[in-house]
């Protein structure tokens, strides 16, 4: 990095092209899955290669190779792949279903909606994926709504809120991995910083769901006999969660959790030994897209930095903000806007991470705080946009509109409010 390089706004053209074609395709078709993000980024990379004729083609290859080969990028991609194996194996072993059913079995019917939120929090923290949590729990939320007479969007809102809790907090979430690796901090430090910020939001959210559910005319009666579970299938989640909380290396956690899930799956008859590696493979391949996207984005950012684009953004930011609190607000706004444009919080963090790192170094913001803000505000954006995978998944599984769920998305909004409060009033520690 050269801080003396002159800022060049044209260096940002590849990122602008990506946003235009990605958003344009979504707006024109009404479906933001029309343009796969990976295709948009490949087009952006092609634009970056065509820029700046003063740098020859071979030199550009050298620049992107160094960007892709940077330690944090390589480590992040390896963790992504390892993180895919655990959810794939534990899901096949019946761990998700048993964990959800265990929670529903011990939960008083009077707090059914709050229980959906709390169970969603646990599943998403342990599983590391909001979409996976929603996929597992949305049908249950819809079923509870039908049994009790409660609003389906209310129950789905509780599921989505619980899923977003773990999406930015879980140590094996792809968003956490991306935030930590781009900012250069330890996962346990980021977790502690992040947890203090989101805990008030989670408590208020649980209370809101309790009182809103009571105000509706539902008769809260659940047939607990219908929710069967096996404690053995819950154990891998507990082991991974405890290991993450005490600071065990993420690779050790993921590999250990995958092995334990395999043992549980085979011993309980969920799948045969001959199917084990297929289940693992399915989980790993589910992470291919984000891994390849991370590599391509790293290549684009390397060229954008070489051409002076990062320096230009920093010059703009320096002119608009003052001090560490201004830097923290700048990081938060940056990743929030990028997420709203890309509809993918992991991609938003990968894109905004290098810029956020420059800002944090400039204003002496601790890496754990910048990583927390990246993850939190990417999740705030992802948790409220109606065209994101989370709301589209929840709405699609219950045949309702994403807009109907939006009034009950208390947690992402409260999370953002809590984070802003911490930025403005909490004493800063470097």
């Amino acid at each position: 990095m050269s801080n003396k390089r002159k800022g060049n706004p044209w260096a940002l053209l590849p990122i602008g092209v990506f946003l235009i074609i990605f958003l344009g395709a979504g707006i024109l078709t009404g479906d933001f899955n029309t343009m796969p993000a990976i295709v948009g980024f490949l087009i952006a990379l092609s634009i970056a290669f065509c820029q700046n004729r003063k740098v020859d083609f071979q030199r550009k290859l050298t620049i992107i190779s160094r960007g892709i080969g940077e330690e944090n990028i390589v480590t992040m991609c390896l963790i992504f792949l390892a993180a895919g194996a655990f959810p794939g194996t534990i899901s096949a072993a019946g761990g998700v279903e048993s964990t959800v059913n265990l929670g529903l079995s011990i939960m008083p019917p009077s707090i059914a909606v709050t229980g959906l939120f709390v169970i969603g929090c646990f599943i998403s923290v342990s599983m590391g994926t909001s979409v996976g949590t929603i996929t597992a729990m949305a049908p249950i939320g819809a079923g509870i709504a039908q049994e009790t007479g409660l609003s389906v969007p209310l129950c789905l809102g509780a599921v989505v809120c619980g899923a977003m809790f773990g999406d930015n907090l879980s140590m094996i979430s792809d968003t956490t991995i991306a935030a930590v690796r781009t900012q250069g901090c330890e996962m346990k430090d980021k977790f502690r910083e992040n947890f203090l910020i989101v805990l008030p939001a989670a408590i208020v959210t649980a209370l809101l769901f309790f009182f809103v559910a009571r105000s509706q005319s539902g008769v809260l009666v659940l047939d607990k006999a219908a929710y069967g579970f096996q404690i053995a299938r819950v154990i891998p989640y507990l082991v991974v969660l405890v290991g993450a909380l005490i600071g065990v290396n993420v690779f050790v956690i993921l590999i250990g959790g995958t092995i334990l899930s395999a043992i549980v799956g085979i011993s309980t008859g969920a799948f045969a030994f001959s199917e084990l590696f297929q289940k693992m493979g399915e989980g790993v391949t589910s992470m291919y897209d984000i891994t390849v996207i991370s590599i391509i984005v790293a290549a684009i950012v390397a060229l954008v930095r070489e051409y002076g684009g990062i320096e230009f953004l920093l010059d703009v930011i320096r002119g608009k903000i003052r001090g560490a609190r201004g830097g923290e607000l700048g990081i938060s706004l940056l990743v929030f806007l990028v997420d709203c444009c890309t509809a993918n919080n992991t991609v938003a963090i990968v894109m905004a991470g290098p810029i956020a790192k420059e800002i944090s170094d400039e204003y002496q913001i601790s890496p754990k705080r910048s990583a927390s803000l990246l993850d939190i505000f990417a999740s705030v954006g992802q948790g409220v946009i109606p065209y994101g995978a989370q709301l589209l998944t929840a709405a699609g599984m219950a045949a309702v509109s994403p807009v109907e769920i939006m009034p009950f998305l208390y947690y992402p909004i409260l999370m953002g409010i809590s984070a802003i409060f911490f930025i403005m009033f909490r004493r800063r520690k470097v």
Side-chain angles (χ1 to χ4, degrees), residues 40-361:
F41 281 121
L42 283 173
I43 295 173
L45 180 59
S46 300
I47 298 294
F49 263 112
C50 294
Q51 287 183 291
N52 199 340
R53 295 183 179 179
K54 294 180 180 179
V55 181
D56 62 48
F57 186 79
Q58 188 58 47
R59 170 64 180 161
K60 291 173 182 177
L61 285 176
T62 300
I63 292 169
I64 68 169
S65 296
R66 289 175 179 171
I68 294 171
E70 200 271 329
E71 180 183 353
N72 286 329
I73 299 297
V74 174
T75 303
M76 179 172 64
C77 291
L78 291 175
I79 295 175
F80 280 157
L81 297 177
F86 172 66
T89 309
I90 188 62
S91 296
V96 179
E97 182 181 358
S98 277
T99 303
V100 172
N101 288 350
L102 171 62
L104 293 173
S105 297
I106 64 177
M107 176 180 64
S110 60
I111 60 168
V113 179
T114 300
L116 283 173
F117 170 67
V118 173
I119 295 169
C121 290
F122 177 80
I123 292 291
S124 58
V125 168
S126 305
M127 195 174 185
T129 166
S130 56
V131 174
T133 301
I134 292 169
T135 301
M137 293 193 61
I140 296 172
I144 287 177
Q146 292 172 358
E147 290 180 26
T148 62
L150 290 167
S151 162
V152 173
L154 170 65
C155 293
L156 292 179
V159 169
V160 174
C161 286
M164 296 313 298
F165 176 86
D167 191 87
N168 80 93
L169 199 60
S170 173
M171 292 196 204
I172 60 174
S173 167
D174 49 3
T175 60
T176 296
I177 295 165
V180 166
R181 298 316 304 181
T182 58
Q183 301 308 295
C185 67
E186 293 293 328
M187 287 194 179
K188 60 182 180 181
D189 294 332
K190 184 263 184 189
F191 174 86
R192 292 166 184 160
E193 182 82 9
N194 204 152
F195 183 73
L196 289 174
I197 296 173
V198 303
L199 181 60
I203 293 173
V204 174
T205 298
L207 292 173
L208 279 173
F209 278 124
F210 174 73
F211 288 112
V212 172
R214 284 189 63 182
S215 69
Q216 294 194 3
S217 58
V219 180
L220 299 177
V221 179
L222 296 178
D223 181 10
K224 294 189 177 184
Y227 299 107
F229 63 89
Q230 292 185 31
I231 290 295
R233 294 180 174 179
V234 182
I235 291 176
Y237 277 136
L238 297 175
V239 171
V240 168
L241 182 60
V242 172
L245 292 177
I246 64 177
V248 178
N249 181 276
V250 65
F251 281 112
V252 175
I253 292 172
L254 291 170
I255 294 172
T258 302
I259 293 173
L260 185 56
S261 300
I263 294 173
V264 169
I266 294 171
S267 62
T268 58
F271 51 79
F273 180 78
S274 59
E275 301 175 293
L276 169 60
F277 298 107
Q278 180 184 355
K279 303 301 181 183
M280 287 185 184
E282 289 171 356
V284 172
T285 53
S286 69
M287 301 298 287
Y288 280 3
D289 276 1
I290 190 58
T291 302
V292 175
I293 286 173
S294 299
I295 292 171
I296 297 173
V297 170
I300 295 171
V301 170
L303 289 175
V304 169
R305 178 183 285 112
E306 178 68 19
Y307 300 160
I310 301 296
E311 191 62 32
F312 171 77
L313 283 176
L314 292 175
D315 289 341
V316 172
I317 291 170
R318 290 185 189 108
K320 300 294 183 182
I321 60 179
R322 296 289 184 273
R325 285 189 173 86
E328 291 175 3
L329 288 172
I331 291 171
S332 304
L333 180 60
L334 172 68
V335 73
F336 175 81
L337 293 176
V338 174
D339 181 80
C340 290
C341 291
T342 60
N344 186 307
N345 45 347
T346 307
V347 171
I349 292 170
V350 171
M351 289 182 68
I355 302 171
K357 179 61 176 172
E358 300 276 3
I359 296 173
S360 63
D361 290 343

Side-chain angles (χ1 to χ4, degrees), residues 343-378:
N344 186 307
N345 45 347
T346 307
V347 171
I349 292 170
V350 171
M351 289 182 68
I355 302 171
K357 179 61 176 172
E358 300 276 3
I359 296 173
S360 63
D361 290 343
E362 176 81 14
Y363 294 98
Q364 297 184 322
I365 301 167
S366 66
K368 64 182 180 180
R369 180 166 291 196
S370 61
S372 295
L373 293 176
L374 275 175
D375 212 345
I376 287 171
F377 281 93

